Every structure is written in C-alpha cells, then in structure tokens.
Amino acid sequence: MSRFKESTNMKTIRERLGTKLFLANLVVILIGVVILAITIQITVPAAFNRHMGMMSQSMGNGMGQGQGQSAGRTLFENFRASMFESLGYAVMASVFAALLVSWFLSRRIVAPIRNLTNATQHIAEGHYDQRVEVNGADEIAQLAARFNQMATQLEQVESMRRQLIGDVTHELRTPLTSIKGYMEGLVDGVLPSTPETFNQIHLEAGRLSRLVDDLQELSRVESKAYSLDIRSFAVSNLVQTTIKRLLPQATAKRINLHSSLPADLPPLQADEDRVTQVLVNLVANAIQYTPEGGDVTVTAARHANEVHISVADTGVGIPAEHLANLFTRFYRVDKSRSRNAGGGSGIGLTIAKHLVEAHGGRIWAESKGDGLGSTFTFSLKIAR
Ligand SMILES: Nc1ncnc2c1ncn2[C@@H]1O[C@H](COP(=O)(O)OP(=O)(O)OP(=O)(O)O)[C@@H](O)[C@H]1O
Ligand SMILES: [Mg+2]
C-alpha cells in the first residue's frame, strides 16, 4: 500500500512540471542553507580565535584603570566582528553553490524546450523527418510526444501530396499525349481527316474529362467534404436502382445482370445515394471486367447486425497478390487491359472504400485467380 503510494507520488513528480520547478527551487534553498551552515561551522572557530587573540594582545599591552569596564564591550564587538566575518564567507559560499545548482537545474529543464524550438524551426523549413527525444512524462515530455505525432502526420500528408501530384500528372499525360499525337498527325497530313480520327480524339477528350470528374469526386471524399444523409431504406430498392441504371451497359455487352436477395432482409441505416454510388461502381466494374456472355450477380445476406452486399462476376478475375491493393487510388491490375476495356483510371474502388468506411463499414475483394471471376463485398449496419 505504502509502496503504491510512494510510486504514485514519484509519478506525480515526474508528470508535473510545476512540481519539478518547485522541487528545484527547494533544492537550491536547501543547498544554500547547508553550505551556509557548514561554512559557519568551519570559519567561526578560526575567526573567533583570531579576534580573541587580537583582543587579549591589546588588553595585555596596557590594561589600566577604567579599561576593565570596556573589556565586556570589546569582547562583544570582537564576537560580532568574528561572526560577521564568518557569515560573509558563508554567504559567499552558499550564493555560489546556489547559483551553480540553479544554473544546472534550469539547463536541464530548459534543454527540452530548446530542442523543441529547434525542431519546430526545422519543420517550418520543410524538413518533416525532424523528431525530438521524449524524456520522462512531464508536460514538456507530453508536448514533445505530441510534436512528434504532429511531425509524423505532416510527413504523411506531404508524401501523399507528392504522390498525388505525381500520379495525377502521369494520368493526365497519357490522354493529352494521345490527343496531341492525333492533332499533329492531322496537321502533318499523316492521319486522314476522317470521322474515325475525330472520334478517337473525342474519345480521348472524354477520358480526360471523366478523369477530371473522378479526381474531383475523389478529392471530395478524401477530404470528407460531404455530409451523409443517414436514413433507413430497403436493400431491394438499392439493388433495383443500381440494376436499372446499368442494365443498358450489361445488355450492350450481352452480360446477364441479375440479383438474388433473401425476402427477410432488414432495412439498412445509411445514406442511400452514397451507397448506390458504391454499388454502381462495383457493378460497373464487374460489367467492365467480364467478357461478353458472362454473368454478374448481386446478392445480400444478414450477418449479426450487418448486411453484406456482394457483386460476383464470371470475368477476368484478380490474381491474389493484387487483392489488397485494389482500393489504393490509381491502382490497376493490368494498366493496358483497363485502358483498352474503356479507360479505367483506378479511382472507382478508392471512392467506394471511402464511402463505405464513412458509414463505419468494410469493403473487400475475393477472387480465385486469373480468369476465374471476382466477388466484391461491402458491409453496412442494419437499421435499429
Ligand atoms: N470485377 C472486377 N474484376 C476484375 N478486376 C477488377 C474488378 N473490379 C476492379 N478490378 C481491378 O481493380 C482495378 C481498380 O478498379 P477501379 O474501379 O478502382 O478502377 P478502374 O475501374 O480501373 O477505373 P475507374 O476509376 O474508372 O473505375 C481495376 O483497374 C481492375 O484492374
Ligand atoms: Mg472502376
């Protein structure tokens, strides 16, 4: 019990800068007093002896009438003089010791603040890898720990920003180079000015504009610059809306798009438009990455207080090593394949993941491998 109390007290001392400062001052005072006492102890006898010696000398030299009464006064003055002398030494010694200890203690207390100031300067100059040492657990140590946390976050944001600029530049360059190539071909007369050529240019421009739209949407969901309109709605509504929207695309590719839902599914508690956006992305992918004549099936099942909605296809499939990366922006399993198959830019699943996670749900992909179809599933909470 007492050991516990002791350790709690030690903890309080280590965690409070105020207590530390108070103790530092106390140490300085105590050291001053101790030095004062020791110096007095050492110097008083010598000073006293010297003054008494001087007094007896002067008294021996001419002790006459009337001098006896002043002897008491001289004794007192000599005592006072010897006291002042030794006190003078003692004060000098204790002031010196107190100064030395204060200097040492304040350096110890100020050093981490100075480190923090230097580190802040480094960060302000753009060196985001700067970190400070965290010693102890007091307010300054907590500040240092928070500072390191902030520096890590700044470093991440900075690296994401660089990566994003790099990725966007790369993505924009491809259709732009293509448009430029067609135009140069037309100007030089290498390419015929047929509707087919203009159609190709139009296609590339369309890809560019779709990419810009996707980037805008991605930036909105990544910065959470939207609000969720959470209501309860039926899964069957969601699936019907999605199928209705994508049926023309599926029919054009002779893909059999259908759904199979259990009758007793509870309603969902989510933003219907956003969830529709997720399901549309998944079904559009399934149609895009499934060859003609394939099947795309939307299913749903209840798992505890969640509903899992899945989109399964009989398409090109995904090799296992890519499954974890699909939700990273601009990630494509086969860049040339997705370009030829309609120019995907690898943003759709990233947006879907952000939207699902904003609802507190999860999204994942499964596939038995190349050519063996894929299944994308996301989970959402049911309405209470
Ligand atoms: N159903 C699927 N079958 C096979 N591969 C898929 C499927 N869905 C997604 N993928 C792979 O995951 C990648 C990322 O998909 P995502 O939807 O994020 O981008 P995208 O379809 O290429 O472009 P967009 O941003 O226009 O949707 C795709 O490029 C594709 O390689
Ligand atoms: Mg897609």
Side-chain angles (χ1 to χ4, degrees):
M1 176 77 182
S2 80
R3 182 176 288 177
F4 170 75
K5 209 169 169 185
E6 201 175 294
S7 76
T8 326
N9 287 345
M10 278 309 292
K11 201 163 163 254
T12 318
I13 291 170
R14 283 198 299 117
E15 282 178 4
R16 295 243 189 283
L17 183 61
T19 322
K20 260 189 186 175
L21 286 174
F22 173 75
L23 285 180
N25 281 328
L26 208 63
V27 166
V28 169
I29 292 171
L30 280 179
I31 286 185
V33 168
V34 168
I35 297 282
L36 194 73
I38 293 174
T39 323
I40 286 178
Q41 281 274 348
I42 295 171
T43 55
V44 156
F48 193 71
N49 284 344
R50 197 150 30 79
H51 282 278
M52 290 315 274
M54 274 157 49
M55 186 186 94
S56 52
Q57 226 173 44
S58 70
M59 274 164 83
N61 280 346
M63 179 104 141
Q65 268 182 351
Q67 281 181 329
Q69 30 176 274
S70 68
R73 226 175 69 206
T74 323
L75 181 67
F76 173 70
E77 274 167 7
N78 274 306
F79 168 73
R80 198 166 60 176
S82 57
M83 206 53 218
F84 270 129
E85 185 188 317
S86 98
L87 206 61
Y89 288 134
V91 165
M92 275 196 289
S94 79
V95 164
F96 180 71
L99 282 178
L100 207 70
V101 174
S102 308
W103 177 78
F104 177 75
L105 288 178
S106 45
R107 262 181 66 103
R108 278 203 58 151
I109 291 172
V110 166
I113 301 182
R114 194 170 296 147
N115 285 347
L116 268 170
T117 314
N118 291 341
T120 317
Q121 181 66 27
H122 263 86
I123 295 251
E125 285 162 5
H127 306 289
Y128 296 103
D129 54 345
Q130 184 71 36
R131 297 289 181 279
V132 290
E133 218 179 298
V134 181
N135 286 324
D138 63 12
E139 282 89 341
I140 297 181
Q142 287 170 23
L143 181 64
R146 290 279 153 79
F147 175 89
N148 285 344
Q149 206 179 338
M150 181 198 76
T152 309
Q153 261 165 19
L154 278 177
E155 198 177 14
Q156 277 170 4
V157 168
E158 175 62 11
S159 97
M160 266 169 66
R161 189 185 67 85
R162 286 214 188 110
Q163 169 111 35
L164 182 64
I165 292 180
D167 288 346
V168 169
T169 321
H170 177 79
E171 294 299 323
L172 290 176
R173 192 174 291 129
T174 319
L176 276 176
T177 310
S178 185
I179 292 173
K180 204 167 150 232
Y182 280 119
M183 295 312 257
E184 278 168 5
L186 281 171
V187 171
D188 295 345
V190 182
L191 279 178
S193 26
T194 55
E196 204 180 312
T197 311
F198 292 121
N199 208 23
Q200 277 303 323
I201 298 174
H202 185 248
L203 220 69
E204 291 293 342
R207 187 170 296 178
L208 204 56
S209 118
R210 216 169 37 242
L211 176 62
V212 172
D213 288 347
D214 284 353
L215 280 173
Q216 195 177 23
E217 178 66 6
L218 178 68
S219 130
R220 251 160 44 90
V221 296
E222 279 194 340
S223 61
K224 302 196 168 55
Y226 62 93
S227 54
L228 291 176
D229 180 15
I230 307 278
R231 284 162 204 259
S232 107
F233 60 91
V235 180
S236 55
N237 274 356
L238 163 78
V239 174
Q240 268 164 26
T241 315
T242 309
I243 290 185
K244 212 159 108 190
R245 201 179 296 176
L246 291 172
L247 203 56
Q249 235 165 288
T251 316
K253 225 179 145 183
R254 292 201 299 111
I255 283 174
N256 180 21
L257 171 59
H258 58 96
S259 67
S260 155
L261 305 175
D264 58 346
L265 264 187
L268 290 177
Q269 184 77 15
D271 182 326
E272 190 170 358
D273 288 345
R274 294 298 180 180
V275 178
T276 309
Q277 197 179 346
V278 173
L279 194 59
V280 165
N281 267 340
L282 296 185
V283 176
N285 274 350
I287 295 172
Q288 189 174 354
Y289 301 106
T290 300
E292 287 202 5
D295 286 296
V296 173
T297 318
V298 183
T299 55
R302 180 178 180 165
H303 290 261
N305 61 344
E306 288 182 336
V307 168
H308 291 187
I309 301 173
S310 298
V311 179
D313 64 52
T314 56
V316 296
I318 304 158
E321 67 268 25
H322 294 285
L323 286 174
N325 299 319
L326 294 176
F327 301 93
T328 310
R329 69 163 106 84
F330 303 118
Y331 193 89
R332 292 182 296 246
V333 172
D334 178 349
K335 300 210 170 199
S336 59
R337 180 175 80 186
S338 44
R339 286 218 172 281
N340 295 339
S345 48
I347 297 177
L349 286 179
T350 315
I351 293 176
K353 182 174 164 48
H354 274 286
L355 293 177
V356 169
E357 286 178 356
H359 284 89
R362 290 167 294 124
I363 183 166
W364 65 95
E366 291 156 295
S367 173
K368 292 207 170 69
D370 236 342
L372 297 173
S374 334
T375 304
F376 284 77
T377 308
F378 63 97
S379 66
L380 286 174
K381 293 218 165 53
I382 59 174
R384 280 160 197 249

